[in-house]
Amino acid sequence: MPEILTASQMRQCERAEIESGAVTGLELMERAGESVVTAVFSRWPDPGPSQAVVLCGPGNNGGDGYVIARLLAERGWIIACYAYGDPTRLPPDAKANHDRWAQIGAVMPWDDAAIEDRIDDMEGGLVIDALFGTGLTRPMPDDTAKTWRGIYPRRFSNPSGPRPRFVAVDIPSGISSDSGRNLGGAFPADLTVSFHRAKCGHYLDPSDGPDRPGGGASMRGDLVVTDIGLPQDATPGATWLIDRPSNFLMKQAGHKYSHGHALVLSGGAGKGGAARMAARAALRIGAGLVTLACPPKALAENAAHLDAIMLNALPDAYSLRGMLGDDRLNALCLGPGLGMARAQEMVPAALWGKRATVLDADALSAFADDPSGLFGQLHESCVLTPHPGEFKRLFPDLAEKLSGDDPSYSKLDATREAAARAGCTVLLKGADTAIADPDGHVALHSATQDRAAPWLATAGAGDVLAGLITGLLARGFKPFDAATSAAWLHVEAARSFGPGLIAEDLPEAVPQVLRALMAQG
């Protein structure tokens, strides 16, 4: 899995290389500007001399902009370069590139209205956003509002019509590179060119809703990550981006018991659909056996729906403890359709058994009044799979921090803290799904841009995800690996099926995904 970095981690990478004497900041800035121009013309072949508006900010991001302006001018482009702030106060490397540009072209002071008018008149060319890079932690200044008005409506209302292409240098101005939060007035892009590693904010998407794209993943457009010559060593504490399964998902040789026996608990009569979908997902992903345990009065209903999945009557927690006397039952799933009262009774008995255990839905909400009571019973082989509402009930202080005043505090931070507190793996669901374990490992699966699967917003999809994790746990995957692999597989199955998906379709799409993986070798 590739790394994605925070702004601080990226600065550390650059600082270490500069302090070692291997490269200068000026050389890195030149490489960054060159890589943007290369990426632009890879995305849109150079039509020959055209026009570009280059918006340069008061920091090193602005320095990248001056490099880009110079390189485009060398190709014969007509450049309108606007400087935000006092150029004499630029950092040294950015000031050097400002001065190099000023020898061949004009640097115009910031004029919000003039920039809006210029963009409105453009039917082609480029607008380069090199205003504020990865270090921004506050809303965009008021005097960028008209520039925003020139960019935002045209980016979203006229995606392919006659207009300039909007290019963000490192990250769209106004987006937190750590949390993906729109700090206010962020500029959207058709293309974002980042350096060395993608940033967390490129994939996190705390947006304002489907009708008002707002988060980093929604605003960045296409993302290109370029090599500027920094060492490719692993970065301590980096987040892993889930772009493929973390383990080989196909079964190896063995018999059914060598692939585990998963137990899924169900609610009462008329409440078993969610548990049945979870059980079917566990079986589809390769658990050797799956048993659904339900109240005696629900046996007939579940028997009418299930064939390959076994059934067992489970009247109470005492009976569950008895079932767990069978050591071959090595993975449990509690929550989907379980019911609050039954969850309060069954969860302690399940955790007593010290099996790999997925707690979802009702198994989490049942402890909203006493989260610490739940945490005291958890063990490191558990996986909690809350959606944001359930997360808020279990970790109210962390949810409050997520919506608080610190724009750099991200979903990744909250999930990492939650896993440490719970002492087990936590998967916080969403289009950007964050996963953390108590050792501090963090991964992100972002179902955005070219991996978007909006049809997953359907009842029961989360129950299937819980079943996929349970099936992988039964097969012997470690909790963190089971959660990361299942998150990828869940989205891949939805994308394989396509629009019109309902939750029952997800387990049936798994074989097609596995066949595609097998074909890839």
Side-chain angles (χ1 to χ4, degrees), residues 285 331 358 383 385 427 464-474 477 479 482-483 486-487:
I285 197 52
V358 176
V383 180
T385 59
L427 181 151
V464 174
L465 176 60
L468 291 172
I469 299 170
T470 305
L472 293 173
L473 290 172
F477 280 46

Side-chain angles (χ1 to χ4, degrees), residues 430-452:
D432 50 356
T433 292
I435 303 159
D437 71 12
D439 294 327
H441 301 120
V442 185
L444 177 70
H445 184 272
S446 185
T448 57
Q449 296 289 342
D450 59 350
R451 278 196 61 76

